[in-house]
Amino acid sequence: MTATTPAEGLAPNVRGALWMLASALAFTVMTTLVKFLGADYPPALQTFYRQAAGFAILLPVIARHRGAAFATTRPGILLFRSSAGTIGLILSFYAFQKMPLADANALSFTRTLWLVPLAAFVVREKVGPLRIGAALVGFLGVLIMVRPGAGGHFAIGLPALAMLASSFLFALTITGMKVMTRDHSPTVLLVWAASLGLIFALPGAVLAWRWPAPMDLVLLCVMGAMGTVTQACYIQGMSIGDAGAMAPIDYIRLVFTTLAGLVLFHEIPGLPTMIGAGVVVVSTLFITWREQVAVKQARAAIAMERALSEAP
């Protein structure tokens, strides 16, 4: 008889939810360290440590698979994805250093909104009026949060613009991943992203280099490792549970980062931030739900066509 762990007896969506919660906790630890270390270590240098940690974690995979881990027929897209991802990471670290954690995290969720126009123009997906309307409502939520010309700590500025640009770049990497996963394994994409990300982060790190104190080095390594743990737990949660059920759980990050900002940095989100974040969350959840419906309808149509073709 094969022994089973308590987690294996849980429903898939429950196990997936636990992985998503672990991802949110790891993300909160990472962003808290980004902000805490930001006074002494610029975003480009922090990005280098983040990429170095991811590469180190994947080294056993690279050593085991060797050439197969880098097998690709479209290196151009991989180069573009990694360069966009590295720049996006630098911009997001800058925003997390300069803005309250809750505010920066709320703006980071706009990557789902950017995916709607990118899906239409890059992947050539059919985007219906409901998804377009939800994206427009979501961007209205962004305007509520940044409220151009208004006073307060979250008025439009370079940090907010940096996070919006970062979200757009991350949406580009996700779109590229959708294209590449048609004929590339996730392992190949991870290996290329980690390897190229480390290379692309190196020039900025050299320009901003300073030798860290021993304790700072430990914290920088933990920060980098938490970034990789965040991705790994997120992928695991999405693969085990239903994507439509997992997406809402990811927004627990807003709660965790708000608490971390309040307790550690005495940051209190303003009312416009909370209202705008709520609008963004609702609109992105609706977009996620519509995508799940579209996928199920496409699968049903394919199954119907197959059944009709096999009928006598």
Side-chain angles (χ1 to χ4, degrees), residues 241-257:
D242 180 72
M246 295 303 101
I249 300 170
D250 189 38
Y251 289 96
I252 197 70
R253 284 197 283 145
L254 280 170
V255 177
F256 290 163
T257 53

Side-chain angles (χ1 to χ4, degrees), residues 54-66:
F55 181 78
I57 290 173
L58 283 172
L59 267 179
V61 177
I62 296 172
R64 185 163 58 249
H65 296 283
R66 299 182 183 179

